[in-house]
Amino acid sequence: MTTEKREDGAANSRQVDRRTFIKTTGVAVGAAAGIEGILAARRAPAFAQGTKLHIVRWNDFIPEADAWLKKEGMPEASKALGAEVTLETIGYNDLQPRITAAVQSGAGADIFMLYYNWAHLYANSLVDVSDVANAVAKDQGGFYDVFNAAANVKGKWLGMPHSIVGNAIAYRKSWFKEIGFNEFPKTWDELRKATAELKKKGKPYGQTLGHTFGDAPTWAYPLLWSFGGAETDKTGKKVAINSKGALDSVKYMTALWKEGCDEGGLAWDDSNNNRAFHANEICATLNGASIYIVAKRQQDKLKDEKGEPLWRDIDHALFPLKGAVGQYPLYFSNAHGIMKYSKNPKLAKDLLRWMHKKENYEKWFQICEGYSVAATKEWEKNPMWGKIDKPLQMFRTAARDTRIFGYAGPASANSTEAYSKYIIVDMYAKAVQGMKAEDAVKWAEGELKKIYEG
């Protein structure tokens, strides 16, 4: 999903096991307190309360966005609210273990960034922010539909929708032109043909199937959906993964991997593909706009094989591709959640209101240059979209049509647990490593049943 590899953000994959989920979220009856091991090791620090507020977000793939928040945004918010607001940014794969530890200990940051539909998973620990969310939605054109599934739980906004990162395929225009493609392949079959030719030239396609929050699931889930597969039926209670659509998608992935992909991608996190692209090692990769943005902002450093600025040879193509049963993307929606243990829930809500005031949000929004799209529709009209480069303009409407985990059923804590355990990603990873496609699908079916039907 993203961009220039910030080493401090390239955290290792850290799954949260089922026992932890059950204890933390109350998914199953009998949830109990206490957790050792990983949680004890990752216990969140307790901050003094009173007029202080502590918010934790990821290390943004647009470093300038974090720099603005820390140097200008939060200091301005502190002054406006009469409080001391502390922004802490951590590795993107570290957020979920950090929240889990905070919930278990009942101490930690007042506000956490929430990925995808984590609001369902941590519902018992989050403050109802409907008053803030409804006011922002009314003022700014309403939220995109995906947030109703992602952050609204049983009629209550438990996450304040913040933004969406739209993924697309960043690719080298000249390399594809060399093999007869004047534009990026439109279909799955064309992608397989083109990448096979480029891999023979030492320019493979770069795709992670590792345990990392963004690029792996935003590839794997749309691949499954676009071939007609689904985790569950419409009730969300019966696993439906063992289907012709899922099997076809696994067989396609296996062929694409062998013929056209950099097979080192099994071990990649969300930053490896950025580095490989900027090093002229891969012809294309699924990512946010950050590869392009960073290449342009660091054009004196990032060159193509001819010594020319790399960004001039980069364009974006829509993902998923045509040629199966449909095109159904998954983009990275995110929100902010206020923890129930916070001693300052009113102050925390005031901070969210401040962050979403148009004049404040716009400063951050414009720095992102389309990498992060707003959660409300009015921002599609922002003048920024007319000023940024053409390859970035396609992200303006990215938030309009994205699915969320759990399809064809509703978003739920179960679907987030399945995502957090990388079951769909691992289905493909096992197949490309040699497991028969039929067996990989059956494995996924068994794992999903433990969650949805167990």
Side-chain angles (χ1 to χ4, degrees):
M1 154 161 301
T2 55
T3 172
E4 189 49 2
K5 300 353 186 163
R6 296 188 50 181
E7 297 299 330
D8 56 346
N12 294 329
S13 170
R14 297 180 177 85
Q15 286 183 263
V16 180
D17 62 29
R18 180 164 176 75
R19 181 168 176 267
T20 301
F21 267 84
I22 291 172
K23 285 189 173 183
T24 303
T25 66
V27 168
V29 176
I35 185 169
E36 294 76 31
I38 183 173
L39 295 180
R42 305 189 58 74
R43 187 175 298 281
F47 276 62
Q49 300 298 322
T51 59
K52 295 183 178 180
L53 206 61
H54 180 199
I55 177 172
V56 176
R57 286 175 48 81
W58 68 346
N59 284 324
D60 202 303
F61 283 93
I62 302 298
E64 294 85 354
D66 278 348
W68 180 82
L69 284 173
K70 290 180 178 179
K71 295 179 181 178
E72 297 183 46
M74 291 303 105
E76 290 177 9
S78 296
K79 184 177 180 179
L81 301 177
E84 180 182 341
V85 180
T86 300
L87 169 64
E88 179 185 5
T89 58
I90 64 177
Y92 42 76
N93 283 329
D94 290 335
L95 259 173
Q96 193 162 34
R98 181 68 173 271
I99 296 174
T100 303
V103 169
Q104 283 294 309
S105 64
D110 301 278
I111 302 173
F112 278 102
M113 183 180 185
L114 302 176
Y115 295 174
Y116 301 108
N117 56 346
W118 285 3
H120 291 264
L121 191 63
Y122 300 108
N124 293 337
S125 302
L126 295 171
V127 172
D128 182 353
V129 294
S130 296
D131 50 345
V132 183
N134 288 332
V136 171
K138 183 178 180 181
D139 182 56
Q140 300 179 22
F143 295 123
Y144 291 102
D145 290 344
V146 67
F147 285 105
N148 288 316
N152 193 307
V153 182
K154 297 180 180 178
K156 296 180 180 179
W157 290 99
L158 299 185
M160 175 60 210
H162 183 262
S163 55
I164 290 180
V165 176
N167 264 16
I169 296 177
Y171 70 97
R172 291 290 300 274
K173 293 184 291 185
S174 64
W175 290 4
F176 279 85
K177 191 172 184 178
E178 286 174 7
I179 60 169
F181 285 85
N182 291 324
E183 56 185 4
F184 194 78
K186 297 291 186 184
T187 68
W188 296 105
D189 286 343
E190 288 178 355
L191 177 64
R192 186 175 164 184
K193 177 182 177 182
T195 55
E197 290 192 46
L198 285 166
K199 186 174 182 178
K200 292 176 183 176
K201 294 175 176 288
K203 303 170 181 176
Y205 185 92
Q207 176 57 48
T208 176
L209 288 178
H211 287 187
T212 190
F213 84 102
D215 293 339
T218 57
W219 169 274
Y221 281 82
L223 177 63
L224 173 68
W225 297 333
S226 297
F227 274 78
E231 285 177 85
T232 71
D233 66 6
K234 291 183 179 179
T235 69
K237 299 178 180 178
K238 184 175 178 56
V239 172
I241 191 74
N242 197 347
S243 65
K244 181 179 182 301
L247 183 59
D248 288 346
S249 73
V250 173
K251 289 180 176 178
Y252 175 84
M253 187 71 225
T254 303
L256 178 70
W257 191 263
K258 181 178 180 181
E259 297 168 358
C261 289
D262 182 334
E263 297 180 52
L266 280 168
W268 287 1
D269 65 19
D270 274 65
S271 64
N272 289 97
N273 61 330
N274 298 66
R275 282 193 289 268
F277 195 102
H278 286 152
N280 301 306
E281 294 174 351
I282 55 176
C283 63
T285 189
L286 181 65
N287 208 71
S290 54
I291 282 180
Y292 180 95
I293 293 172
V294 171
K296 186 172 183 181
R297 291 178 179 177
Q298 299 182 21
Q299 57 185 295
D300 292 337
K301 172 185 173 185
L302 299 175
K303 307 283 189 179
D304 65 14
E305 65 279 12
K306 299 174 183 175
E308 299 296 323
L310 179 61
W311 69 272
R312 294 176 181 169
D313 194 36
I314 302 173
D315 205 345
H316 293 114
L318 288 173
F319 179 82
L321 305 175
K322 298 179 181 177
V325 303
Q327 294 172 278
Y328 307 106
L330 168 67
Y331 298 136
F332 173 54
S333 53
N334 60 85
H336 288 111
I338 299 174
M339 308 308 292
K340 280 186 176 178
Y341 60 67
S342 172
K343 296 179 181 178
N344 296 298
K346 180 182 180 302
L347 182 60
K349 285 189 177 183
D350 288 343
L351 177 61
L352 295 181
R353 290 188 181 93
W354 184 92
M355 291 173 68
H356 285 274
K357 279 188 175 180
K358 291 179 181 177
E359 61 269 30
N360 300 328
Y361 190 88
E362 186 173 38
K363 295 174 184 176
W364 175 87
F365 175 77
Q366 292 188 344
I367 291 170
C368 293
E369 286 194 309
Y371 174 72
S372 286
V373 179
T376 49
K377 300 173 183 176
E378 182 178 288
W379 293 90
E380 285 188 18
K381 304 173 185 175
N382 190 273
M384 179 202 73
W385 293 111
K387 300 175 182 176
I388 60 177
D389 294 347
K390 186 176 179 181
L392 300 175
Q393 293 178 11
M394 68 177 296
F395 294 99
R396 182 174 67 86
T397 59
R400 292 182 181 181
D401 185 22
T402 173
R403 285 181 175 175
I404 195 76
F405 306 123
Y407 178 83
S412 66
N414 285 338
S415 63
T416 302
E417 181 179 352
Y419 151 72
S420 298
K421 291 184 173 179
Y422 295 97
I423 293 172
I424 301 302
V425 173
D426 281 354
M427 177 177 71
Y428 295 108
K430 288 179 180 295
V432 304
Q433 292 178 92
M435 181 180 282
K436 286 181 59 179
E438 291 82 357
D439 291 342
V441 173
K442 288 180 180 177
W443 172 85
E445 181 184 35
E447 294 301 306
L448 291 175
K449 282 186 174 180
K450 294 176 186 175
I451 296 172
Y452 287 100
E453 301 178 15

